[in-house]
Amino acid sequence: MFSSWVLHFRCFSLQAFHYRKSHMDPFGLPTWNTAGGSFAYLRVELGDFMAFIAAGNIILEYVISGAAVGRSWTSYFTALCGRENADDFRIKTNLANDFNLLDPIAVVILLLTGLVATWSTRVTSLLNWIASFANMAIILFVIIAGLVKAEPSNLTPFLPYGVRGVFSAASVLFFAYLGFDAVATMAEETKNPARDIPIGLMTSMIITTVLYCLMALTLSMMQPYTAIDPNAAFALAFRDRAGWKWAQYVISLGALKGMTTVLLVNAVGQARYVTHIARTHMIPPWFAKVSENTGTPIRATIVMFSASAVVAFFSSLDVLANLLSISTLFIFMLVAVALLVRRYYVSGYTDNKSLRYFQAFLALILLSSGGTAYYWATHDGWLGYVVTIPIWFLSTLVLAVVVPQARHPQTWGCPFVPWVPSLSILINIFLLASIDRLSFIRFAVWTGLILMYYLLLGLHASYDVASGSEREESHTEEGKNFDMKPKPPMQN
């Protein structure tokens, strides 16, 4: 439940708003004030190929997160109806495990939410504001009332699954943070994105992290970890452990409001992501169409929510959460790499010696991080860390001391570079080692499919658009195209 009430992203991705002003998108918009979040940042810093890989995984994230929230919506709706089994409204079949419980309710709620999101961005935002106040009231009720019924003895054993259990849970926890990047996609509709969006992201990150930890602590103290229901945890905890049957309905209703809000927020973010990617022609530009009547990208919204509905109909929450976490951790790692590239390399400014040093140390950071993750996944000892961790530390230290930074942020920037992005690379790759093998196979299949599409279609289409954009920019700089106007932003 609480995973549907929090959003995601990391601080250094905010530098996506401080692009070079000379870099224009195909519609003439300067990319320092355009939508796109991590995709736009990676495209500027690492090029179209890595940006497309990120784009494919961002689309996968939104599809899977929508499906996961839809499945959770059904579980809490079942609790609201007073049913004992969270799967009562699902249809059991003879399909493979994790795909054998069909969820028609999730399909209906996803399609209805998608239709609301296509109506108007302003209406969607108003509904989100109203629902957010109700959500905060429910969250405070859960924390206060839950702690009243808390028993500290339930925290023993404190680490029932050991250290590996902690990191395994942390690797899947990123399922709960999908959404902060949606804020970054609103740069096109923000008056001062370089100031307002970092403030909004950091403030919401702090608030939601505190609330997440408090709710997790409350749940763990209300009942033993073995009694926690994975489908509707809080509602059933208050019913079975606290003896407050009425609270089951209050919490279930609050959870449904919260998850509906998440779906609406994701609708705004994912539609703008898909629209921005479509503007580059990496995916068909058909998706970039914005309705003149509603001011919303109807096509992108309908297609994304339809895809989420199909996935939600078949797939269990565990499958969705693991696949989503792989995709999210991978993108976080790429953003950290892109931040290092942005700070240490500027074409035409960075000399060859500094560039070679930077490439070597970045490679050592990546390899030592990968070695640490591999050792964690395959061994129980500590000897391997004596080799990999010092290599990572020394590589980062020498990079900080020896290689001069080629660029410094003008308005806002990630502090303690290269330590923060280097640590992010290490942690993200390390957490990937805690996710099951089957999820990696599914991730590899998806990556293979998007690579085939890019090589056959996306590469040529995006190259043609980029070439045309460069010609237009050149004419503009020479004073030959002063009448070119950027595409107006989507309705606020």
Side-chain angles (χ1 to χ4, degrees), residues 26 52 115 163 328 346 348 356 380 398:
F52 181 81
L115 290 176
V163 176
T328 305
V346 175
R356 286 195 298 270
D380 292 325
V398 177

Side-chain angles (χ1 to χ4, degrees), residues 22 68 231 335 417 452 475-476:
S22 62
N231 293 302
V335 172
V417 174
M452 288 178 59
H475 289 317
T476 302

Side-chain angles (χ1 to χ4, degrees), residues 2 142-158 160 212-229 233-234 236-238 240-243:
F2 49 85
V142 168
I143 294 173
I144 296 172
L147 289 177
V148 169
K149 291 290 184 178
E151 296 180 11
S153 60
N154 288 328
L155 294 178
T156 304
F158 190 70
Y212 193 108
C213 293
L214 287 174
M215 293 187 72
L217 178 64
T218 300
L219 181 64
S220 300
M221 292 178 67
M222 285 185 67
Q223 56 188 339
Y225 71 95
T226 54
I228 296 176
D229 187 280
F234 283 95
L236 300 183
F238 274 90
D240 299 334
R241 307 300 298 182

Side-chain angles (χ1 to χ4, degrees), residues 166-196:
V166 172
F167 284 105
S168 179
S171 65
V172 182
L173 184 64
F174 285 85
F175 161 68
Y177 281 84
L178 183 66
F180 282 121
D181 204 18
V183 180
T185 66
M186 303 300 290
E188 211 173 272
E189 300 162 71
T190 305
K191 291 182 180 179
N192 188 356
R195 181 199 66 188
D196 297 340

